[in-house]
């Protein structure tokens, strides 16, 4: 099960306990950048984890054996797959990222480009809002209808996969290129085969 559109995956594992009853344990993958972790829990309690986090490391939550499992704080944005609200930040690119969950800078840039909106725009006209809503709707339809569509890996100048997208990007940073792959698993397998390049 995925936690909304966050990069948190929980796998339930059913086993037979000593009294012949079903015991469900959880393997929780928190793929959240520098704070990524793998946690093994049972009945809401942490059995162990790949990385331990104590009070000195985090005041919000501790990840230690025998403590209750507390999920990371939820993102406050709206799901890009369900809704879109007004922007109130410094520019349209930052606003789109802040107002939603499930998208990053590359996807936000692509949506604005598809809508013909400058990413540095600080306020959208009614016409621009409608064009952006149409671009988001097109992405929604594509994401919801295509179950086996190809994906596109964005490869950086250092020969590493920077991100994987469900659409062919039209905007690339200098030195980046893309590779089309049949599905997400193929893209992940391809990513680990690349040898990073050290730039001068």
């Amino acid at each position: 099960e995925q936690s909304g559109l966050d990069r948190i995956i929980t796998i339930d594992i059913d086993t037979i306990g000593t009294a012949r009853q079903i015991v469900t344990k959880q393997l929780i993958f928190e793929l959240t950048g520098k704070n990524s972790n793998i946690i093994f829990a049972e009945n809401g309690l942490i059995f162990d984890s790949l990385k331990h986090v104590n009070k000195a490391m985090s005041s919000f939550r501790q990840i230690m054996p025998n403590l209750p499992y507390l999920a990371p704080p939820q993102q406050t944005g709206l799901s890009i797959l369900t809704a879109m609200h007004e922007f109130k930040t410094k520019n349209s690119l930052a606003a789109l990222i802040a107002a939603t969950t499930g998208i990053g800078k590359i996807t936000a840039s692509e949506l604005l480009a598809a809508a013909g909106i400058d990413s540095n725009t600080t306020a959208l006209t009614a016409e621009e809002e409608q064009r952006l809503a149409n671009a988001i709707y097109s992405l929604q339809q594509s994401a919801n209808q295509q179950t086996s569509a190809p994906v596109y890996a964005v490869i950086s100048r250092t020969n590493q996969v920077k991100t994987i997208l469900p659409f062919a990007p039209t905007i690339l940073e200098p030195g980046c290129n893309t590779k089309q792959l049949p599905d997400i698993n193929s893209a992940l397998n391809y990513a680990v085969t690349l040898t990073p390049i050290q730039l001068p």
Side-chain angles (χ1 to χ4, degrees), residues 89-95 116-125 128:
T89 58
K90 55 188 177 182
N91 60 48
S92 57
L93 179 62
I117 299 171
D118 186 334
S119 62
N120 292 315
T121 300
T122 55
L124 300 182
T125 66
E128 287 173 331

Side-chain angles (χ1 to χ4, degrees), residues 2 75 131 133 152 184:
Q2 181 178 5
Q75 299 183 55
R131 294 204 308 264
Y152 300 84
I184 186 66

Side-chain angles (χ1 to χ4, degrees), residues 16-22:
I16 303 297
T18 54
R20 305 300 297 170
Q21 82 280 20
I22 296 177

Side-chain angles (χ1 to χ4, degrees), residues 24-26 28 39-48 64-70:
T24 302
K25 302 180 181 182
Q26 289 79 38
I28 305 163
I39 301 166
F40 188 43
E42 179 180 348
N43 295 326
L45 292 178
I46 298 171
F47 182 76
D48 208 349
M64 302 289 289
N66 299 317
L67 290 181
Y69 171 73
L70 178 64

Side-chain angles (χ1 to χ4, degrees), residues 58-123:
S58 172
S59 59
F60 177 76
R61 66 174 189 151
Q62 289 73 56
I63 302 175
M64 302 289 289
N66 299 317
L67 290 181
Y69 171 73
L70 178 64
Q74 290 187 341
Q75 299 183 55
T76 56
L78 301 168
S79 169
I80 190 62
L81 297 179
T82 57
M84 181 67 199
H85 280 192
E86 294 181 1
F87 302 133
K88 296 181 180 179
T89 58
K90 55 188 177 182
N91 60 48
S92 57
L93 179 62
L96 181 54
I97 295 170
T100 59
T101 63
I103 68 170
K105 182 178 179 181
I106 292 178
T107 302
S109 297
E110 292 287 343
L111 285 170
L112 291 171
I117 299 171
D118 186 334
S119 62
N120 292 315
T121 300
T122 55

Side-chain angles (χ1 to χ4, degrees), residues 85-197:
H85 280 192
E86 294 181 1
F87 302 133
K88 296 181 180 179
T89 58
K90 55 188 177 182
N91 60 48
S92 57
L93 179 62
L96 181 54
I97 295 170
T100 59
T101 63
I103 68 170
K105 182 178 179 181
I106 292 178
T107 302
S109 297
E110 292 287 343
L111 285 170
L112 291 171
I117 299 171
D118 186 334
S119 62
N120 292 315
T121 300
T122 55
L124 300 182
T125 66
E127 181 185 355
E128 287 173 331
E129 288 182 357
Q130 185 58 55
R131 294 204 308 264
L132 182 56
N134 292 340
I136 291 171
Y137 179 74
S138 294
L139 179 61
Q140 290 174 353
Q141 293 298 102
S142 176
N144 288 329
Q145 292 178 3
Q146 298 181 2
T147 58
S148 60
V151 297
Y152 300 84
V154 177
I155 304 165
S156 69
R157 293 189 305 143
T158 57
N159 200 40
Q160 293 174 291
V161 172
K162 189 172 184 178
T163 190
I164 300 169
L165 301 169
F167 54 84
T170 60
I171 304 170
L172 291 174
E173 294 180 0
C176 289
N177 60 78
T178 62
K179 182 175 179 64
Q180 179 179 323
L181 295 138
D183 52 50
I184 186 66
N185 286 335
S186 299
L188 294 174
N189 289 334
Y190 173 74
V192 299
T193 66
L194 297 180
T195 302
I197 298 172

